[in-house]
Amino acid sequence: MSHRAGFVSIIGKPNAGKSTLMNALVGEKMSIITPKAQTTRHRILGIVNTDDYQIVFSDTPGVIKPHYALQESMMHQVEGSIVDADLILLVTDINESYDEGDVLEKLEGSLAPLVVLINKIDKSDEDTVKQKVEFWQQKLNPKAVFAISALHDHNIKAIMDFVLENLPEHPAYYEKDFLTDRNDRFFASEMIREQVFKQYKKEIPYSTEVIITEFIEGEDLYRISAEIIVERDSQKNIIIGKNGEMLKIVGTYARRSMEEFFQRKIFLQMFVKVISDWRSKKNYLKKFGYED
Ligand SMILES: Nc1nc2c(ncn2[C@@H]2O[C@H](COP(=O)(O)OP(=O)(O)OP(=O)(O)O)[C@@H](O)[C@H]2O)c(=O)[nH]1
Ligand SMILES: [Mg+2]
């Protein structure tokens, strides 16, 4: 039988559950997940391989109107993912309103077949699900609409089957042992950022970046050093917390995630550094791995 391979783009508004879906589809914790919007800042590939096919899912940042350079880069990631797509999975939270069209604008001009996924149906009821299915069918006339719960693994198999049926004939794009395009340093920094999003309020998560400055792989211990970058001195104090307590909490949870992910003991050191307005400065964004 011939080989099939393709790019599947996962897009939607912030917090719709895109990363939760990606992890469920791939069966690995590729993308970090938090209750806050704009958790994902990069396009992250999650690759599913068998002898007969290769599915390259791409998780993307939630679509927003950009207000500063970091958000502009995030939106370029979304656009790139749509351009490459053989199939687009539009993830919508069942309780989300779709009166304004940021996401739909992004889809204009794309020729890739579209599937709408109505997510978080565990937080809804049968009538609402029916209404939403009809709403999306009318609005976009997609190839399919699935009502799902990414969190509870509901209907994930149906999506996989649909994706497989619609995968083009093509040789593999990546080596068959590749699971992602990202390296261990990236995942380490994301696991710290995940805790920053979970532990702090208001503008702190959005003003923070995490840089891995040292990653030493020992046989049974990884030594990891990281810089937590914030924009102002006042934010630095909040990150550290009274007697360093907040930073300790972040470090403890991040280290546990890393130990599970890398299957190693982790020695984690963190330093907090101020770079004023880094998220509006293109030179820093480039240095931090955000493409233009
Ligand atoms: N109840 C419920 N919650 C869900 C479901 N899927 C995701 N969530 C929750 O929704 C929140 C956001 O999930 P993410 O996967 O980070 O959402 P996202 O679309 O990647 O968000 P951004 O990266 O910020 O754009 C998290 O608290 C998830 O646990 C679901 O099926 N049911
Ligand atoms: Mg996400």
Side-chain angles (χ1 to χ4, degrees), residues 15 17-20 31-34 38-41 59-62:
N15 220 34
K18 300 176 297 297
S19 299
T20 309
S31 287
I32 57 167
I33 295 164
T34 83
Q38 298 179 51
T39 299
T40 304
R41 289 182 181 166
D59 185 18
T60 62

Side-chain angles (χ1 to χ4, degrees), residues 12-23 31-41 59-63 91 93 119-123 148-153 197 206:
K13 289 191 183 188
N15 220 34
K18 300 176 297 297
S19 299
T20 309
L21 173 73
M22 156 101 149
N23 293 349
S31 287
I32 57 167
I33 295 164
T34 83
K36 294 198 178 74
Q38 298 179 51
T39 299
T40 304
R41 289 182 181 166
D59 185 18
T60 62
V63 175
V91 184
D93 180 329
N119 190 29
K120 309 195 190 182
I121 60 166
D122 56 287
K123 291 206 298 192
I148 67 164
S149 169
L151 186 65
H152 299 287
D153 238 342
F197 266 68
Y206 302 98

Side-chain angles (χ1 to χ4, degrees), residues 30-258:
M30 289 284 160
S31 287
I32 57 167
I33 295 164
T34 83
K36 294 198 178 74
Q38 298 179 51
T39 299
T40 304
R41 289 182 181 166
H42 298 267
R43 176 184 182 181
I44 299 168
L45 302 188
I47 308 173
V48 177
N49 294 299
T50 70
D51 287 344
D52 303 327
Y53 62 82
Q54 178 172 72
I55 312 172
V56 186
F57 290 105
S58 69
D59 185 18
T60 62
V63 175
I64 45 168
K65 276 202 190 355
H67 294 294
Y68 42 88
L70 169 63
Q71 293 181 329
E72 280 165 21
S73 163
M74 287 159 65
M75 292 310 100
H76 293 154
Q77 306 278 312
V78 178
E79 286 149 17
S81 172
I82 291 173
V83 168
D84 288 345
D86 295 296
L87 182 69
I88 293 172
L89 304 179
L90 170 59
V91 184
T92 69
D93 180 329
I94 187 152
N95 296 313
E96 202 168 63
S97 71
Y98 251 85
D99 29 21
E100 20 95 24
D102 291 351
V103 179
L104 306 186
E105 267 170 37
K106 286 259 181 295
L107 290 173
E108 279 169 19
S110 163
L111 298 174
L114 179 70
V115 174
V116 175
L117 307 178
I118 302 166
N119 190 29
K120 309 195 190 182
I121 60 166
D122 56 287
K123 291 206 298 192
S124 189
D125 56 82
E126 231 171 279
D127 280 349
T128 314
V129 172
K130 257 191 206 148
Q131 276 171 26
K132 285 281 170 169
V133 171
E134 256 164 53
F135 169 83
W136 284 109
Q137 236 136 23
Q138 298 234 323
K139 185 151 187 118
L140 295 175
N141 189 27
K143 280 203 89 170
V145 179
F146 291 98
I148 67 164
S149 169
L151 186 65
H152 299 287
D153 238 342
H154 178 76
N155 255 352
I156 301 303
K157 170 86 169 53
I159 301 167
M160 271 307 261
D161 291 345
F162 184 92
V163 169
L164 274 176
E165 275 164 32
N166 290 276
L167 211 57
E169 276 193 21
H170 201 281
Y173 291 93
Y174 298 89
E175 298 290 336
K176 280 289 179 80
D177 56 356
F178 271 38
L179 298 177
T180 180
D181 59 333
R182 300 279 163 180
N183 60 22
D184 286 350
R185 281 180 174 241
F186 175 79
F187 290 115
S189 71
E190 286 290 89
M191 284 180 261
I192 297 172
R193 215 165 55 74
E194 183 172 45
Q195 290 310 320
V196 171
F197 266 68
K198 284 187 172 170
Q199 306 298 341
Y200 302 97
K201 298 195 194 87
K202 296 184 184 159
E203 92 288 2
I204 296 285
Y206 302 98
S207 308
T208 302
E209 180 58 301
V210 178
I211 308 298
I212 302 298
T213 50
E214 193 176 64
F215 195 111
I216 301 169
E217 300 180 28
E219 186 89 340
D220 34 39
L221 178 91
Y222 283 4
R223 276 174 199 283
I224 300 173
S225 302
E227 279 175 3
I228 297 181
I229 315 261
V230 290
E231 297 197 306
R232 292 194 299 274
D233 280 326
S234 58
Q235 294 169 339
K236 179 173 172 173
N237 294 334
I238 294 170
I239 291 277
I240 294 169
K242 211 174 157 198
N243 302 321
E245 273 164 20
M246 283 306 291
L247 194 59
K248 203 168 163 192
I249 291 171
V250 168
T252 302
Y253 284 114
R255 181 173 47 76
R256 280 186 202 154
S257 302
M258 291 179 195

